[in-house]
Amino acid sequence: MSELSPAEHLNEDGLRQRDEGDLVAAEASFRAAMADDPSWSAPAYNLGLLHKYNLQWAQSLELNRLAASLAPDDEASWWNLGIAATALGEWSEARRAWAACGMNLPVGDGPPDFGWGFTPVRLDPEGDAEVVWAKRIDPARARIVSVPLPTSAFHWGDIVLNDGAPEGERVVEGRTYPVFRVLQKLLASSHRTFVLELATSTGEVVSALEQCAEAAGGAAEDWGTSVQILCRACSTGVAHEHANGPNDPVHPHCGLAARDHDHAQSIIDAWLAQSPLADLIAWYEAPDEPSRV
């Protein structure tokens, strides 16, 4: 087994220190490795990764730009460069990164819209780690199309910055969708989250609510059927069977995305007018206390 060079030793030290949570020491080790061997891309990439997960985008961009220049065939550096450039709104640099990854870019020189369809994304990965559906705009951006739970800091319509490596998957009607980790909120939606408590939530009643919300420029979701509690292994990997039935509904309410109280009221009024079976107990803006109706 060949002996490691001084730069390789320093880089290994940095990886160990990073995994132990000593980020200051890790940065020092990576920088020392870069100084010892300026032609080697790995320590610049690893330091750029460190800055990425600290949301230090200017530093991450600079380091991944250096790593990509030293190893142009290393797609990982280009991906992280593209993510950092997207976070900073440097669209020409983001486009350059995606092109280097072999992607066919949409025409133009501003924010690219690839129109990649729907994908699940993991909000607040270190917290509740709620997974919702989003419409993927480009490799690093997605717009939330679910109504996140009332405990979430995210809302329907938020544009989020997502990582490039999938963390788990979801299977819907035989199709597998990769789950992407959300790094931060890029652009906040003008919509807020409201909670509707129903006595009954038949498919017909909920469908009418969804249609009224969509027609009025909002959205609605039956959390009782859309929410599942998964163990960590299921959430970040492939869901497996549990004896206690993790797919049972766990939330008895519906979520409503609306611009404000008046907008929510107008959606609810339209829904109640056309849904005689609707039995609304209370509704309120999360996380306020319920208002009886």
Side-chain angles (χ1 to χ4, degrees):
M1 181 177 179
S2 60
E3 189 154 333
L4 295 178
S5 69
E8 289 171 326
H9 272 297
L10 289 164
N11 188 64
E12 289 296 318
D13 287 343
L15 293 173
R16 174 181 52 77
Q17 290 156 347
R18 181 199 65 189
D19 293 343
E20 292 172 352
D22 191 347
L23 303 186
V24 173
E27 178 169 356
S29 294
F30 290 139
R31 289 200 180 279
M34 292 168 62
D36 187 79
D37 187 354
S39 67
W40 189 30
S41 67
Y45 169 80
N46 287 327
L47 185 52
L49 194 66
L50 199 70
H51 284 299
K52 179 179 82 169
Y53 287 120
N54 285 332
L55 309 183
Q56 297 167 321
W57 298 116
Q59 298 95 317
S60 183
L61 179 65
E62 177 187 354
L63 288 157
N64 281 291
R65 187 185 284 141
L66 173 61
S69 70
L70 294 172
D73 294 332
D74 182 12
E75 190 172 288
S77 295
W78 287 109
W79 264 93
N80 285 339
L81 192 159
I83 291 170
T86 298
L88 295 168
E90 295 195 15
W91 302 117
S92 60
E93 195 72 340
R95 284 173 170 269
R96 185 171 78 94
W98 306 141
C101 292
M103 301 177 198
N104 294 320
L105 287 163
V107 176
D109 55 8
D113 188 345
F114 286 73
W116 277 349
F118 297 98
T119 190
V121 295
R122 180 172 286 107
L123 310 176
D124 188 21
E126 305 306 322
D128 291 340
E130 178 184 359
V131 174
V132 300
W133 286 92
K135 189 172 183 180
R136 206 167 179 203
I137 302 169
D138 66 25
R141 289 182 301 150
R143 179 181 288 104
I144 296 174
V145 297
S146 297
V147 181
L149 291 172
T151 53
S152 175
F154 295 85
H155 298 88
W156 177 85
D158 284 348
I159 294 179
V160 297
L161 183 75
N162 61 267
D163 210 349
E167 285 188 353
E169 62 186 35
R170 297 293 184 271
V171 179
V172 179
E173 296 181 351
R175 179 176 174 182
T176 300
Y177 296 84
V179 180
F180 293 96
R181 176 191 185 100
V182 167
L183 297 169
Q184 70 177 65
K185 187 185 298 185
L186 281 180
L187 183 63
S189 166
S190 60
H191 286 65
R192 288 138 57 173
T193 302
F194 294 83
V195 181
L196 277 63
E197 182 181 351
L198 310 182
T200 59
S201 58
T202 65
E204 180 183 349
V205 166
V206 173
S207 178
L209 174 61
E210 292 170 348
Q211 292 170 17
C212 288
E214 183 178 356
E221 182 170 336
D222 181 4
W223 287 323
T225 58
S226 67
V227 174
Q228 299 178 8
I229 299 299
L230 300 180
C231 72
R232 186 169 186 83
C234 283
S235 184
T236 58
V238 180
H240 55 268
E241 292 297 324
H242 287 254
N244 61 350
N247 295 330
D248 294 338
V250 296
H251 204 300
H253 304 312
C254 287
L256 175 65
R259 293 185 298 273
D260 51 33
H261 186 278
D262 290 343
H263 187 210
Q265 183 72 70
S266 67
I267 293 171
I268 292 169
D269 288 345
W271 168 58
L272 293 175
Q274 74 173 58
S275 303
L277 296 179
D279 193 354
L280 178 62
I281 297 172
W283 70 276
Y284 54 97
E285 181 178 356
D288 296 340
E289 290 298 320
S291 299
R292 308 302 294 187
V293 297

